Amino acid sequence: TMDHAISYHTHKRLGTVQEWVSDTVDAYSKMMGRFMGPMAQFMGKLASNIAPNMVLNKAINEVLYSDQMMHGPGEYEVNEAENGEITIRFKNCLRLKKQNEIVKKCGLPFEGREICELEKMHLTHPNHPTTKMGIVPTEVIWEETGCVWTFKKH
């Protein structure tokens, strides 16, 4: 997290935040192929058309599972997908707490919440794997100790 905060500060100062986000998303996309073979990708597209709520539930649960280094299971609540939409509430977010601590200790000239904005930039990037699957955040609400994300399957 400290490296992430310092990198963000450097890219912000140099005016290269968008390029950094694009490079990161490109790396995510390349790694996705390792975890999802061609058959799984095909079946995912097929299932998306037949059962979008099931695909949305499965995709969000997989993202949360892979993000366990940053968020423990008790930090978030996920509703069941309905009408192709799902909401996740992060409460008492340890990641946000650590970001705020690191930014303050390092004397960086921004709030830890700005790093959360990077996540929003990643997840709305046209080349992000979930965006390519048609799963995009439609609303992000910042709360004092966390946030609420609403995703829709398009």
Side-chain angles (χ1 to χ4, degrees):
T1 303
M2 184 172 77
D3 288 342
H4 200 66
I6 294 166
S7 293
Y8 172 69
H9 173 61
T10 301
H11 286 288
K12 185 176 175 182
R13 185 171 41 83
L14 296 174
T16 57
V17 171
Q18 187 57 55
E19 290 84 353
W20 181 40
V21 168
S22 292
D23 290 347
T24 303
V25 168
D26 287 346
Y28 291 160
S29 294
K30 288 176 183 153
M31 291 303 292
M32 187 173 185
R34 281 185 67 192
F35 302 112
M36 286 182 62
M39 188 59 161
Q41 289 177 350
F42 171 74
M43 292 305 290
K45 288 179 183 174
L46 182 63
S48 286
N49 294 329
I50 297 170
N53 289 333
M54 180 196 72
V55 169
L56 192 53
N57 279 327
K58 181 73 173 151
I60 292 299
N61 285 327
E62 288 298 320
V63 168
L64 291 170
Y65 177 78
S66 68
D67 202 29
Q68 284 183 6
M69 287 176 37
M70 295 297 205
H71 297 289
E75 285 184 46
Y76 55 83
E77 300 167 349
V78 183
N79 73 335
E80 285 293 313
E82 192 174 308
N83 300 320
E85 192 171 277
I86 195 165
T87 301
I88 307 164
R89 168 174 264 117
F90 292 92
K91 53 188 175 97
N92 300 318
C93 179
L94 182 60
R95 186 177 189 175
L96 176 60
K97 182 179 176 185
K98 290 291 184 191
Q99 286 170 185
N100 285 331
E101 288 173 6
I102 287 168
V103 164
K104 186 176 179 178
K105 285 179 183 178
C106 291
L108 298 172
F110 57 87
E111 297 292 321
R113 172 71 72 196
E114 280 190 49
I115 299 170
C116 298
E117 288 286 343
L118 281 174
E119 296 307 313
K120 185 177 171 184
M121 291 174 74
H122 287 136
L123 289 167
T124 57
H125 193 284
N127 292 329
H128 191 278
T130 56
T131 305
K132 285 182 174 181
M133 290 174 61
I135 299 170
V136 294
T138 56
E139 182 178 42
V140 181
I141 300 169
W142 304 125
E143 296 182 332
E144 187 175 338
T145 63
C147 56
V148 180
W149 291 70
T150 301
F151 291 86
K152 186 155 182 78
K153 173 74 178 101
H154 291 283

